[in-house]
Amino acid sequence: MSRITIPMHTYVHDVDRIDGLDTGRYGGKAAGLARMSAAGITVPPAFVIGTDGYRAWRGGGELPEELVAQVDAAVQRLERRSGRRFGAQEDGLPLLVSVRSGAQVSMPGMMDTVLNLGITPRGACALARQSGNASFAADTFVRFWRMFADIVLGVDEAVVGEAAAPWLDGMRRDASLEAFERMQEHIARALAAEGVEQVLAEPRWQLLRAIEAVFESWDSRRAKTYRAHHGIPDDLGTAVTVQAMVFGNLDRQSGSGVAFTRDPNTGIRRLYGEFLLGRQGEDLVSGSATPASLSEPGGLPEPHRLQLIADGEHLERIYRDAVDIEFTVESDKLYFLQVRPAKRTAKAAVRIASDLVDEGLITKDEAVQKVSVEQLKRLLRPEFERTALAEAEVLVCGIGASPGHGSGIAVLDADRAATIAAGGEKIVLLRPTTSPQDIRGMLTSQAIVTARGGALSHAAVVSRALDIPCVVGCDGLEIDPDGHTFRIGGKSYHEGSPLSVDGTTGKVYPGLLPLEPSAGAAEHIERILAWADEKADSNYWVAGVSGPEAGLALKHAPRGFGAIALTDLLIALGMLGDFIETVDELGHHPERKATHDKLGRICYEGCRRLLLASPSVPLDIRLPNLGSPRAQRMIGAWASLAPRLFLPLGLKQFYVPLLRGIVDATRETGHTEVTALVPGVNCAAEVAAFKMAANDAGVLRVGAMLQSPAGLLNAPAMAVHAHALWVDLREIIRTFYGYPSALSFGDDVFDSYVADGYLPYNPRKALGRDLSQLLCSALAGCQATQASVRVGVECGDGAALSLIGELHALGVRTFSVPLAALPSVRLALGQHLCKEAGHG
């Protein structure tokens, strides 16, 4: 028996002999080729250098000798399988290869590729002779040198184009060896003039340099930026796939295309894509020529179209997903070059996931994983009508700081904005910058625009927390609040001018662009969310709902409305100013009955509309906490208020009239399931006293908002007196760590603090051990003391979805979520639990 020599480490593998599921080692491209080959689909032969080869190259600064030897052996195997020779050749077609990146995670357009590598003057002559197409040979030769110069040598490809231009037309007519050698010499001189020290016309040298260039592209600035944006780890590295070229530009029976097994825009199951006759795939990607649609007859020969459909269905069963396929037809023979899960719009994603379940390809749990939270947000967010947007001019452009679309009249002062909005007018707040003093106007705005500031400005941070569209840093925008005018590009506009704001793109348009809801995916969205709910087994309450929004909120079938802030109900009715004035008056004259009656009427008006709109839905209303950071931001004369107003039960003349207002509203509307919540309490005595006062006023159900560590510690004792306890998550986190208001800075500030090593985690994205233990103890204690008490967590605007997963793990099953965030929370929690169960 002959002795078999096994290399110390195998970096290079024939693609048809690798594990097609191991994308971590071989990358998605090579893994896809392996799976297609195993399925009997025609693919050009190829080999792959695994990510371990990348790490060896990066660690040593050069390609290991062992790896180079394995590449040489793999090229010889390609020669035997293709029947072509790599490099110069007198007869027959030469073996040319593509050198492509192959990361575990798809990074479209971020990594480098070299095509037609291996072309030489002799090989180009053979290519012209065998194909009978001198133009094809000349284009292949020049195309290689343009890509090699750009990607490997770092020289603008135009340099090669200019050097080749004088000879190209003649070579397309008479592709002689002398002509190709002369062109190669001129290209080499042009590259040397650009400072390139070494240029060899030797295919093996070119192949090794191209492999290194693809490795280097993993660490390029654009790739790092892409990974940072998408949260892709830097240490994954890339594989390199070397594949025998097939030519879509060989003759009139050749071409290149991309096919989707389902429409990536709508999700409809049909062959979708494009085909370019007589061209390579690079031309399709670059847009240098107009392709034919695969959806229409005549673009691709019918036998190939039918084969694409059949093989595409086979690949869908393998991938259990819609896929896209890169293919080439060479002299009427169809080759598949790449397959991967198809990129798709949000609308298509929900339909495809739903349909795949119906077709038996995936489970419900897997379908939940097929749609990202960001896709869901994009799909549900109302947008400007496309036709109107296409015709609109851009007035000014800044930084899109908070996504979404909003329209209204321009108002340049926050107080005026609040007053105008109270009258039912939709407004866009324009300010040079914003500050906490502008919060009243910001709360009532459809969108916010500032002349100065960046992504961490007050306007940006607050808008994101409130989910209000916002554009900041608009150069050229000059605002004169006192003069009630603003200027853009030298043109003056008056306050009251209608504006439309796109917080995603940062563009501001004149006029009121109409909004339209997302269309065509509602049925599929509800199916996906219902499957997520099955996994989560949780109760969702809707927060932040006013009377006009109740009908829309009820379509989501919430368990109840809560914890609804009375302050938000007053803002929706334009009564916040009246409330603040009355509170200020109460501080100076606490015994004045007229003031008590006024408070009661304000509360009655604030609650009545919502109670009428939701007669059969449990409703938890939280009274205002005048000691909170939010009150401090909203009330201009906050510092002059009576100090006792800052304590939960500090002034009975404040909360008792509010309770009477709730009673009056419930009596008139006939609503029977209203619970009044006292905020900021820390001990059982406070809840007991509040319950007594509420019962005296006629309110039968009471509860509390837990907003501090002390409140959590004493929650079990409070549960004895309460119908419901809500954990105010944002305030608990803030007070637990002692940080200022949650609106003071964004998550990226905490992220950089963590990166500096001062914290082990972002406390707004992870609970941490100590807070988890405190919450767990409070929940368990409440159930042990008073099993009938309803304990939930109010997640508030902008609560990190990761926190909700942690809370579920602690045993929380009741969540209060703003209506706009409810679908995202439902999906994210379902996804989290699917991953926990091993379906991610």
Side-chain angles (χ1 to χ4, degrees):
M1 180 181 292
S2 60
R3 170 179 283 183
I4 299 176
T5 303
I6 300 176
M8 291 180 61
H9 191 101
T10 303
Y11 297 104
V12 182
H13 312 263
D14 290 341
V15 159
D16 58 356
R17 303 188 69 178
I18 66 172
D19 180 358
L21 298 177
D22 191 353
T23 57
R25 184 175 186 184
Y26 304 116
K29 194 178 301 294
L33 291 172
R35 298 177 83 173
M36 287 193 291
S37 179
I41 295 171
T42 303
V43 299
F47 64 85
V48 59
I49 305 166
T51 52
D52 47 353
Y54 161 80
R55 282 185 279 273
W57 165 82
R58 192 180 193 190
E62 61 182 4
L63 296 177
E65 291 184 9
E66 206 169 18
L67 187 153
V68 172
Q70 292 173 24
V71 167
D72 290 337
V75 169
Q76 292 175 11
R77 293 194 297 273
L78 276 188
E79 289 180 323
R80 290 194 295 271
R81 296 183 64 184
S82 66
R84 302 174 182 179
R85 277 188 52 209
F86 187 58
Q89 188 162 319
E90 295 298 333
D91 55 355
L93 289 175
L95 170 63
L96 307 185
V97 298
S98 62
V99 183
R100 302 175 184 267
S101 64
Q104 180 178 1
V105 180
S106 177
M107 297 168 52
M110 295 298 108
M111 306 289 286
D112 288 333
T113 296
V114 179
L115 302 179
N116 302 327
L117 193 146
I119 192 75
T120 65
R122 287 187 181 278
C125 288
L127 205 61
R129 184 169 55 252
Q130 290 294 317
S131 66
N133 189 340
S135 180
F136 158 65
D139 288 343
T140 300
F141 189 81
V142 174
R143 191 189 296 260
F144 161 71
W145 277 107
R146 289 173 70 108
M147 297 185 77
F148 191 79
D150 179 33
I151 293 167
V152 179
L153 303 179
V155 176
D156 191 328
E157 63 178 41
V159 171
V160 172
E162 292 171 3
W167 317 97
L168 198 53
D169 286 342
M171 289 171 55
R172 284 173 175 161
R173 294 189 299 271
D174 180 20
S176 66
L177 176 60
E178 293 76 13
F180 278 113
E181 288 177 338
R182 189 164 53 246
M183 177 185 281
Q184 182 169 276
E185 182 180 343
H186 278 79
I187 291 173
R189 287 177 184 173
L191 294 173
E194 295 294 319
V196 179
E197 295 181 0
Q198 185 182 36
V199 182
L200 299 183
E202 199 277 306
R204 180 177 181 273
W205 177 85
Q206 294 168 354
L207 175 58
L208 296 178
R209 285 298 308 272
I211 291 169
E212 289 187 292
V214 173
F215 281 158
E216 288 168 358
S217 68
W218 175 261
D219 296 308
S220 67
R221 183 177 181 181
R222 70 177 187 273
K224 287 183 176 180
T225 301
Y226 182 93
R227 290 197 296 273
H229 178 75
H230 291 277
I232 300 171
D234 274 331
D235 59 358
L236 293 180
T238 183
V240 177
T241 300
V242 179
Q243 186 172 34
M245 289 287 301
V246 288
F247 300 100
N249 55 346
L250 181 62
D251 52 36
R252 293 182 180 179
Q253 291 182 299
S254 302
S256 299
V258 175
F260 292 78
T261 53
R262 303 184 191 227
D263 189 320
N265 296 311
T266 65
I268 295 173
R269 185 175 182 177
R270 66 185 179 103
L271 187 65
Y272 177 97
E274 297 174 328
F275 177 71
L276 261 179
L277 188 65
R279 297 292 190 99
Q280 282 190 265
E282 179 196 1
D283 300 318
L284 189 69
V285 175
S286 67
S288 61
T290 303
S293 171
L294 295 181
S295 304
E296 300 171 2
L300 183 71
E302 188 64 12
H304 295 327
R305 200 177 76 86
L306 294 176
Q307 188 176 345
L308 273 174
I309 293 173
D311 287 345
E313 291 176 352
H314 191 176
L315 288 170
E316 279 200 345
R317 291 192 293 273
I318 292 173
Y319 277 84
R320 304 170 75 208
D321 199 357
V323 297
D324 69 62
I325 302 159
E326 291 183 18
F327 66 93
T328 288
V329 177
E330 183 185 80
S331 295
D332 204 33
K333 184 173 182 179
L334 177 63
Y335 295 89
F336 282 34
L337 306 183
Q338 178 171 300
V339 63
R340 61 189 172 189
K343 299 294 183 182
R344 65 204 73 178
T345 65
K347 180 179 179 180
V350 295
R351 173 158 188 165
I352 289 171
S354 177
D355 287 350
L356 289 174
V357 172
D358 293 339
E359 294 164 21
L361 289 180
I362 62 173
T363 65
K364 294 177 181 179
D365 284 5
E366 290 170 312
V368 170
Q369 300 295 304
K370 294 287 186 187
V371 181
S372 72
V373 171
E374 287 305 315
Q375 286 176 319
L376 184 66
K377 287 180 178 178
R378 288 197 298 272
L379 193 57
L380 294 177
R381 188 184 297 276
E383 299 176 344
F384 293 137
E385 286 185 0
R386 294 182 182 181
T387 53
L389 191 63
E391 299 172 357
E393 64 171 311
V394 177
L395 195 61
V396 69
C397 191
I399 301 169
S402 180
H405 294 175
S407 300
I409 62 169
V411 180
L412 314 182
D413 175 83
D415 290 332
R416 287 201 299 271
T419 301
I420 294 171
E425 189 76 64
K426 292 184 177 181
I427 63 106
V428 171
L429 179 63
L430 263 66
R431 298 284 296 152
T433 60
T434 64
S435 70
Q437 284 68 43
D438 294 316
I439 189 67
R440 288 182 61 205
M442 298 175 76
L443 284 167
T444 59
S445 300
Q446 301 299 308
I448 298 166
V449 178
T450 66
R452 301 191 298 275
L456 282 180
S457 65
H458 177 269
V461 173
V462 174
S463 296
R464 286 193 292 268
L466 298 174
D467 200 23
I468 296 173
C470 177
V471 175
V472 299
C474 294
D475 291 337
L477 173 62
E478 302 174 20
I479 300 173
D480 180 7
D482 296 330
H484 296 221
T485 61
F486 60 98
R487 293 177 63 84
I488 299 174
K491 185 176 180 179
S492 182
Y493 300 83
H494 291 283
E495 187 172 72
S497 298
L499 297 176
S500 296
V501 178
D502 186 335
T504 303
T505 65
K507 294 178 180 178
V508 181
Y509 303 90
L512 302 177
L513 296 180
L515 288 168
E516 60 182 3
S518 57
E523 174 188 350
H524 302 291
I525 290 173
E526 284 307 316
R527 293 189 76 194
I528 299 293
L529 293 179
W531 295 335
D533 291 345
E534 289 177 14
K535 201 70 180 177
D537 188 28
S538 295
N539 302 318
Y540 296 107
W541 291 55
V542 176
V545 176
S546 61
E549 298 166 324
L552 177 61
L554 289 173
K555 292 181 180 179
H556 292 266
R559 187 60 59 92
F561 289 162
I564 303 294
L566 176 59
T567 305
D568 290 337
L569 297 177
L570 298 178
I571 289 173
L573 290 176
M575 299 180 67
L576 183 61
D578 293 339
F579 174 71
I580 291 173
E581 290 175 4
T582 308
V583 168
D584 187 42
E585 182 182 327
L586 181 70
H588 293 93
H589 306 286
E591 303 300 330
R592 184 179 290 172
K593 184 177 183 301
T595 304
H596 305 166
D597 293 343
K598 186 177 180 182
L599 268 179
R601 285 195 303 273
I602 289 173
C603 181
Y604 160 79
E605 291 292 345
C607 297
R608 175 178 170 275
R609 193 171 181 182
L610 179 58
L611 267 61
L612 282 171
S614 54
S616 59
V617 178
L619 183 62
D620 289 6
I621 299 177
R622 60 188 291 184
L623 302 189
N625 181 357
L626 297 180
S628 69
R630 187 188 190 197
Q632 187 174 355
R633 289 191 300 271
M634 288 193 304
I635 301 175
W638 184 84
S640 65
L641 294 178
R644 281 186 66 93
L645 282 170
F646 301 149
L647 297 175
L649 301 181
L651 200 61
K652 200 169 185 178
Q653 294 92 329
F654 171 64
Y655 63 87
V656 168
L658 297 179
L659 290 168
R660 288 174 180 159
I662 292 175
V663 170
D664 289 344
T666 56
R667 184 179 295 119
E668 179 178 325
T669 60
H671 205 298
T672 59
E673 293 191 70
V674 176
T675 302
L677 305 174
V678 57
V681 290
N682 294 309
C683 65
E686 291 174 301
V687 181
F690 181 72
K691 181 177 182 180
M692 183 178 297
N695 291 165
D696 290 344
V699 177
L700 300 180
R701 301 184 182 194
V702 300
M705 297 297 303
L706 308 180
Q707 298 178 301
S708 68
L712 284 179
L713 283 170
N714 293 311
M718 295 184 198
V720 175
H721 309 285
H723 178 76
L725 295 176
W726 286 101
V727 177
D728 186 338
L729 185 61
R730 295 182 72 181
E731 275 298 287
I732 286 291
I733 292 171
R734 186 185 73 80
T735 55
F736 185 83
Y737 290 96
Y739 291 121
S741 168
L743 297 183
S744 297
F745 41 76
D747 279 330
D748 43 5
V749 176
F750 266 130
D751 289 338
S752 64
Y753 206 61
V754 171
D756 289 337
Y758 304 136
L759 283 174
Y761 53 84
N762 181 337
R764 281 170 37 187
K765 294 181 179 178
L767 294 175
R769 183 190 63 185
D770 294 336
L771 183 53
S772 292
Q773 290 178 347
L774 181 58
L775 283 164
C776 189
S777 177
L779 294 169
C782 288
Q783 290 301 306
T785 304
Q786 188 73 27
S788 62
V789 68
R790 172 166 40 80
V791 181
V793 174
E794 188 204 30
C795 298
D797 292 321
L801 298 175
S802 56
L803 290 177
I804 297 173
E806 289 192 58
L807 290 166
H808 190 280
L810 293 178
V812 177
R813 294 295 182 270
T814 301
F815 299 93
S816 172
V817 182
L819 177 60
L822 181 57
S824 299
V825 169
R826 292 168 65 191
L827 179 62
L829 185 53
Q831 289 180 339
H832 174 77
L833 296 170
C834 288
K835 290 178 181 177
E836 292 283 311
H839 296 290

